C-alpha cells in the first residue's frame, strides 16, 4: 500500500485507457437508402385505397403494366417501412391558409382544422424518414406556422374507411 496514487489522479481511468485498445464504432443505419415511391407505386396504393379487393390484374390493366409487376411492387411496398405520421400544427392567426397549402401536397392525405391544442392535424405518408423530415421542415417554413409536433405511427391497430356503409345498421 505504499505506492498509492497521488490525490486528484483517477487510477482506474488511466488503467482503463491503457488496458483497452481503441475499438472503432460499429456502422449504424441502412447501407443504402430505401427505394422511393414512384408514380407506379402511387397508382397501386391509390387503387387499393379505393378498393382493397380489386385484383392485381385489373390494377395492372388500368396502369398499363403486367400483373406480375403489380404483384412484385405490392410485395415490395408491404415489406418496406413507409412512414406514416400525424402532425399537429399550431398557427399564428387563421389556420385556413396553412390548411389549404398543406392540402395541396400529395404527401398529405388528411388535413383538418381542429379546436384544442393544435389548429391543424395533418396525416402524411412518406417514403422514408428523410422524406418525413423534409415534409415537417416544409410545414415549419410556411408563413403562419408557429410549431409542429410529429406523431410517428409505430403500429396500425385499426383504420376504417367504411363508416359510410354502416347506415341503417343498429348500434
Amino acid at each position: 500500500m505504499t505506492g498509492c496514487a497521488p490525490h486528484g489522479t483517477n487510477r482506474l481511468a488511466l488503467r482503463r485507457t491503457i488496458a483497452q485498445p481503441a475499438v472503432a464504432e460499429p456502422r449504424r443505419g441502412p447501407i443504402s437508402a430505401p427505394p422511393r415511391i414512384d408514380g407506379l407505386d402511387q397508382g397501386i396504393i391509390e387503387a387499393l385505397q379505393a378498393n382493397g379487393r380489386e385484383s392485381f390484374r385489373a390494377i395492372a390493366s388500368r396502369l398499363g403494366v403486367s400483373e406480375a409487376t403489380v404483384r412484385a411492387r405490392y410485395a415490395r411496398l408491404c415489406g418496406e417501412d413507409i412512414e406514416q405520421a400525424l402532425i399537429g400544427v399550431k398557427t399564428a392567426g387563421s389556420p385556413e391558409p396553412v390548411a389549404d397549402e398543406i392540402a395541396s401536397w400529395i404527401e398529405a392525405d388528411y388535413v383538418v382544422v381542429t379546436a384544442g391544442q393544435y389548429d391543424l392535424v395533418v396525416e402524411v405518408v412518406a417514403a422514408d424518414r428523410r422524406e418525413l423530415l423534409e415534409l415537417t421542415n416544409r410545414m415549419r417554413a410556411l408563413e403562419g406556422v408557429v410549431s409542429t409536433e410529429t406523431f410517428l405511427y409505430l403500429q396500425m391497430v385499426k383504420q376504417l374507411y367504411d363508416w359510410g356503409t354502416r347506415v341503417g345498421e343498429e348500434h
Side-chain angles (χ1 to χ4, degrees), residues 11 13 37 109 125 136 166 171:
R11 293 181 306 109
I37 295 176
D109 62 4
V125 178
T136 56
R166 291 184 279 148
H171 296 284

Side-chain angles (χ1 to χ4, degrees), residues 5 7 10 16 41-42 52 59 61 74 79 84-85 90 96 98-99 103 109 129 132 142-143 162 165 169:
H7 292 298
N10 185 342
R16 234 181 273 120
D41 292 334
Q42 188 68 33
I59 295 170
S61 175
Y74 174 80
Q84 194 172 7
K90 292 183 182 180
E96 279 86 359
V98 176
D109 62 4
R129 291 213 176 160
L132 181 59
L142 291 174
E143 185 178 336
D162 64 349
T165 62
E169 291 181 12

